[in-house]
Amino acid sequence: LYEIFNSVGPVGSIRVCRDGVSRRSLGYGYVNFHAVSDAERALDTLNYSSIKGRACRIMWSQRDPSLRKSGVGNIFVRNLDRNIDNKALYDTFSLFGNILSCKVACGPNGNSRGYGFVHYETEEAAKQAIERVNGMQIGDKTVEVTRFLKRDDREPAPLTYTNIYVKNVPPNFDEEMLKSMFGGYGTITSSAIMEDAKGRKFSFINFETTEAAQKAVEELNGKDLRTDEQKEEQKEDEEPELLYVGRAQTKAERAREFKAKSAPVAGSQARQQGVNLYVKNLDEDITDASLKELFEAFGTITSSVAMKDEKDKCKGFGFVCFASPDEATKAVTEMHLKVVKGKPLYVGLAEKKEARQERLRQRYQPGAGMMGKGGKDGMGKGMGK
């Protein structure tokens, strides 16, 4: 990285930000030039150039995160031609003002997802870009340009679906019985009964119309299909397995829902019941119970959660909450880097995502010379890649 940027002008310092545990690159870094003119030249000549086979984005370093989080000057570009890359998007929108950052969203294979983001320095530039580019043809497609809204600020789109997901299906049910139950709500175009690794049955049913699917969800979700014998055998402290019927979700939707449900476990319990520890590098066979067994020798555990994926396998990390700080400190001291099932554990204090990002930002922030635009006494502009 030093060799690439030093070819533009004398570099004062360079830092590639790395993960605190694995020391792997986080994919971004900071370059501090001695002279402002060299920093500007680097922006003009190296932006979107290829480094190790990946097109790098270069922008002025913004020390104040409130500018990024406020959403001021940020616009969303939809329906982009798949051939439009970061540079083409930048060239199109740079006519309307100074751009802080600009990117086309891409999938894991590097192909465009058909939308992108442009963040201007001022709200006026963003408004002008929306007025001038919205409805304009870029490449082979007519783009839609709007003000960027955070997920929480967006109006929920009306649910239109025909495919539903059914779980807690009784063991004796077959496809004919399922069609008989759901067929009364509308024409079924396809259906299938499957079993998970534990032999539990679930099903997907696709209706011809949204109305039929919504009616089936409304009337059958929570229906009790147990026999009288099963009801009598049900223990009082066990929750009955009622039929679950809901809209079939995409993998991304399930992941977001799972994350939303899991986050309170990791955060709120720690605040209410004690000190929460984050445990990483767990074996995939670790369960809540076995995680608790690993740590219960150090004190009273109020909760232990091994985070699971959709196949009910541990995702490699979990949380253990102790009743007192002393117990948690002892657990960290004894268990950090201890080898369990062939893997050295990482054990530390659990943090909120925002707090962790802020800590990493401060840890890897550039030197005193990297103060954003401007500079004097030989201190140039700081830059982030």
Side-chain angles (χ1 to χ4, degrees), residues 258-313:
F258 182 77
K259 184 177 179 181
K261 289 180 179 178
S262 303
V265 174
S268 61
Q269 287 188 354
R271 292 191 295 272
Q272 295 171 8
Q273 301 178 19
V275 181
N276 204 22
L277 298 182
Y278 170 61
V279 186
K280 188 166 68 171
N281 213 22
L282 293 169
D283 186 81
E284 66 174 11
D285 294 327
I286 290 288
T287 63
D288 294 352
S290 59
L291 181 62
K292 184 176 182 179
E293 287 178 12
L294 285 174
F295 287 86
E296 61 186 359
F298 306 106
T300 304
I301 295 176
T302 57
S303 70
S304 63
V305 180
M307 307 306 286
K308 305 286 179 52
D309 60 17
E310 295 161 359
K311 296 181 180 178
D312 209 32
K313 293 286 187 181

Side-chain angles (χ1 to χ4, degrees), residues 250-261:
T250 64
K251 185 177 181 179
E253 287 176 323
R254 293 196 302 273
R256 283 198 297 269
E257 186 176 285
F258 182 77
K259 184 177 179 181
K261 289 180 179 178

Side-chain angles (χ1 to χ4, degrees), residues 80-98:
L80 281 172
D81 188 302
R82 302 287 172 165
N83 294 319
I84 298 294
D85 58 12
N86 290 328
K87 188 176 187 308
L89 190 68
Y90 181 91
D91 291 342
T92 301
F93 284 88
S94 60
L95 302 172
F96 308 105
N98 186 34

Side-chain angles (χ1 to χ4, degrees), residues 169-354:
V169 177
N172 63 324
F173 259 54
D174 57 23
E175 200 160 327
E176 288 301 318
M177 295 173 71
L178 207 64
K179 283 183 178 179
S180 175
M181 175 184 288
F182 285 87
Y185 299 99
T187 303
I188 295 174
T189 58
S190 65
S191 65
I193 289 185
M194 291 168 273
E195 291 186 2
D196 62 16
K198 295 183 178 180
R200 296 173 298 191
K201 286 190 175 183
F202 63 96
S203 175
F204 290 97
I205 301 172
N206 194 50
F207 285 93
E208 194 172 54
T209 65
T210 298
E211 292 74 22
Q214 290 175 337
K215 190 175 181 182
V217 170
E218 183 181 341
E219 296 193 11
L220 292 179
N221 185 37
K223 185 177 179 65
D224 192 346
L225 297 180
R226 294 175 300 163
T227 63
D228 292 336
E229 291 180 358
Q230 289 174 327
K231 290 178 182 179
E232 290 177 3
E233 293 173 358
Q234 179 79 43
K235 295 179 181 178
E236 292 184 2
D237 58 344
E238 288 183 354
E239 189 175 342
E241 287 193 348
L242 304 179
L243 190 70
Y244 171 85
V245 184
R247 178 177 67 90
Q249 297 176 305
T250 64
K251 185 177 181 179
E253 287 176 323
R254 293 196 302 273
R256 283 198 297 269
E257 186 176 285
F258 182 77
K259 184 177 179 181
K261 289 180 179 178
S262 303
V265 174
S268 61
Q269 287 188 354
R271 292 191 295 272
Q272 295 171 8
Q273 301 178 19
V275 181
N276 204 22
L277 298 182
Y278 170 61
V279 186
K280 188 166 68 171
N281 213 22
L282 293 169
D283 186 81
E284 66 174 11
D285 294 327
I286 290 288
T287 63
D288 294 352
S290 59
L291 181 62
K292 184 176 182 179
E293 287 178 12
L294 285 174
F295 287 86
E296 61 186 359
F298 306 106
T300 304
I301 295 176
T302 57
S303 70
S304 63
V305 180
M307 307 306 286
K308 305 286 179 52
D309 60 17
E310 295 161 359
K311 296 181 180 178
D312 209 32
K313 293 286 187 181
C314 179
K315 296 170 74 174
F317 69 96
F319 300 90
V320 179
C321 189
F322 283 92
S324 73
D326 291 340
E327 294 170 343
T329 301
K330 186 178 180 182
V332 172
T333 304
E334 297 291 332
M335 295 297 291
H336 183 58
L337 298 181
K338 181 176 179 178
V339 177
V340 176
K341 293 193 174 183
K343 293 183 177 184
L345 298 184
Y346 169 87
V347 184
L349 189 66
E351 296 178 291
K352 284 186 175 180
K353 182 179 180 181
E354 294 79 7

Side-chain angles (χ1 to χ4, degrees), residues 24-202:
R24 293 185 64 182
S25 170
L26 295 173
Y28 66 93
Y30 296 91
V31 180
N32 189 29
F33 284 96
H34 289 293
V36 174
S37 58
D38 292 334
E40 291 174 335
R41 192 180 305 113
L43 265 172
D44 292 337
T45 59
L46 295 179
N47 208 3
Y48 304 114
S49 61
S50 179
I51 298 179
K52 295 284 187 180
R54 300 183 67 176
C56 68
R57 294 189 299 127
I58 307 174
M59 64 203 78
W60 296 113
S61 172
Q62 300 292 338
R63 297 288 294 279
D64 184 4
S66 63
L67 181 64
R68 300 190 301 271
K69 296 178 180 177
S70 67
V72 174
N74 207 358
I75 63 175
F76 176 61
V77 187
R78 182 187 285 114
N79 200 36
L80 281 172
D81 188 302
R82 302 287 172 165
N83 294 319
I84 298 294
D85 58 12
N86 290 328
K87 188 176 187 308
L89 190 68
Y90 181 91
D91 291 342
T92 301
F93 284 88
S94 60
L95 302 172
F96 308 105
N98 186 34
I99 292 176
L100 298 177
S101 68
C102 170
K103 73 171 182 178
V104 174
C106 295
N109 56 3
N111 294 332
S112 169
R113 294 184 185 272
Y115 63 90
F117 307 89
V118 181
H119 194 181
Y120 285 99
E121 191 173 35
T122 64
E123 184 67 19
E124 290 73 22
K127 288 180 180 177
Q128 188 178 0
I130 292 172
E131 292 173 2
R132 299 280 295 277
V133 184
N134 187 33
M136 172 179 162
Q137 184 167 329
I138 301 179
D140 294 331
K141 291 193 174 183
T142 301
V143 299
E144 180 184 346
V145 186
T146 59
R147 178 172 168 266
F148 172 74
L149 293 175
K150 295 179 181 177
R151 191 182 301 276
D152 295 340
D153 297 334
R154 301 173 200 166
E155 292 184 6
L159 288 177
T160 57
Y161 59 93
T162 57
N163 199 20
I164 63 174
Y165 168 65
V166 186
K167 72 174 181 179
N168 296 337
V169 177
N172 63 324
F173 259 54
D174 57 23
E175 200 160 327
E176 288 301 318
M177 295 173 71
L178 207 64
K179 283 183 178 179
S180 175
M181 175 184 288
F182 285 87
Y185 299 99
T187 303
I188 295 174
T189 58
S190 65
S191 65
I193 289 185
M194 291 168 273
E195 291 186 2
D196 62 16
K198 295 183 178 180
R200 296 173 298 191
K201 286 190 175 183
F202 63 96

